[in-house]
Amino acid sequence: MSSSNLVIANWKMNKTWEEATEFVDFFLDKSLDKPTIIAAPSLYLQGLHLRNKNPQISFAAQNLYFEEKGAFTGEISIPMLKSLSIGYVLIGHSERRQIFQESDELIAKKIAACLSHQIIPVFCFGEPLEIREKGQEIDYVLAQIKSGLALTQLNSFKQLVFAYEPIWAIGTGRTASKEQAQEMHLNIFNALTAEYPKLNPEEITILYGGSCNLDNAASLFSQPNINGGLIGGASLIAEQFLGLNQI
Ligand code: PGA
């Protein structure tokens, strides 16, 4: 049985500063089996990064804007993140796509900007329920991936992390079955190796996200093409997130 290579906590718009520091302090003396990333509100990134002493933990922003600087009120840039030693960012999360109307074109610009500045995007995609009910989820997701990478020349699969998150499973308690998730991950893996035949397929990381928790993670992570998890609700409690790290 395989296990996961990477787990990412997506805190979304949750936690006060006090709660955030308690969470990070909980991990000070815990030995973690694998790289673990916390996508925290950007307001907290510097403070948490300076406070953290666990070498397996790093931090990610939940979003950024692709321009380097300028009149973009409310946005944060790649140089800002790099100046705080933050090396990861979520791009294209379905909540950004749906609530904040982020388009495939904008996501492609963000991914290209990340790669040209050596910051690792966690590129998120996934189908809505109506697309799965029509049986069109694989074509839909592969098209999302293609347009997200349209402005990018990939030199290595280590330059980014992929995250499949079916929208109908996010925050709903309804997880994709391990068969549904594995089928999608295998299709993504095959499409990537066909599109980039010169790159090392062993460096592909595809996370599953969507109501992933302590009850279902072991069975999801046992699948050959599921390389870890992007975890929302179940990442908010430190003990649970530690348990997910140990699967
Ligand atoms: P969930 O969120 O685990 O609460 O479903 C996952 C995500 O949105 O990244």
Side-chain angles (χ1 to χ4, degrees), residues 22-39:
E22 265 172 31
F23 187 104
V24 168
D25 291 353
F26 172 87
F27 285 94
L28 287 180
D29 59 350
K30 304 287 182 298
S31 79
L32 297 176
D33 296 347
K34 60 192 62 125
T36 298
I37 297 171
I38 300 173

Side-chain angles (χ1 to χ4, degrees), residues 110-124:
K110 292 183 177 192
I111 291 176
C114 287
L115 267 62
S116 65
H117 289 83
Q118 291 83 46
I119 188 159
I120 297 183
V122 179
F123 172 24
C124 307

Side-chain angles (χ1 to χ4, degrees), residues 12 14 26 48 61 63 91 117 135 144 148 159 179 191 199 205:
K12 311 191 181 187
N14 290 295
F26 172 87
L48 294 178
N63 184 31
I91 299 288
H117 289 83
Q144 277 184 316
Q159 289 175 295
E179 292 81 10
L199 306 190
T205 300

Side-chain angles (χ1 to χ4, degrees), residues 18-206:
E18 198 185 352
E19 290 163 348
T21 53
E22 265 172 31
F23 187 104
V24 168
D25 291 353
F26 172 87
F27 285 94
L28 287 180
D29 59 350
K30 304 287 182 298
S31 79
L32 297 176
D33 296 347
K34 60 192 62 125
T36 298
I37 297 171
I38 300 173
S42 52
L43 189 61
Y44 301 158
L45 288 171
Q46 180 180 30
L48 294 178
H49 171 68
L50 294 175
R51 190 175 182 106
N52 171 51
K53 299 282 177 288
N54 192 316
Q56 288 283 49
I57 294 185
S58 0
F59 294 90
Q62 297 178 8
N63 184 31
L64 52 70
Y65 195 56
F66 63 86
E67 296 283 3
E68 292 199 5
K69 61 180 177 178
F72 305 103
T73 302
E75 296 295 317
I76 59 170
S77 71
I78 294 174
M80 289 175 189
L81 291 176
K82 291 200 78 169
S83 70
L84 300 180
S85 307
I86 304 300
Y88 299 87
V89 59
L90 307 186
I91 299 288
H93 191 280
S94 66
E95 287 148 20
R96 300 289 328 164
R97 293 176 189 261
Q98 292 196 310
I99 304 170
F100 301 100
Q101 282 88 45
E102 290 202 8
S103 64
D104 283 334
E105 290 71 29
L106 178 61
I107 289 161
K109 285 183 186 166
K110 292 183 177 192
I111 291 176
C114 287
L115 267 62
S116 65
H117 289 83
Q118 291 83 46
I119 188 159
I120 297 183
V122 179
F123 172 24
C124 307
F125 40 77
E127 79 284 0
L129 186 58
E130 62 270 22
I131 294 291
R132 181 159 284 267
E133 282 172 344
K134 286 191 218 148
Q136 295 168 350
E137 66 276 6
I138 290 171
D139 287 349
Y140 183 94
V141 164
L142 296 185
Q144 277 184 316
I145 295 174
K146 204 173 169 119
S147 51
L149 298 179
L151 304 176
T152 293
Q153 199 136 27
L154 269 192
N155 301 319
S156 157
F157 287 123
K158 283 190 182 163
Q159 289 175 295
L160 77 173
V161 171
F162 298 92
Y164 169 57
E165 298 202 302
I167 295 174
W168 46 271
I170 296 178
T172 58
R174 182 179 166 191
T175 323
S177 69
K178 64 180 192 305
E179 292 81 10
Q180 286 173 319
Q182 166 58 22
E183 183 193 27
M184 180 62 81
H185 283 228
L186 179 61
N187 273 278
I188 296 168
F189 181 88
N190 288 340
L192 290 172
T193 53
E195 183 77 21
Y196 302 97
K198 295 200 179 121
L199 306 190
N200 181 358
E202 287 180 13
E203 294 175 348
I204 295 176
T205 300
I206 312 172

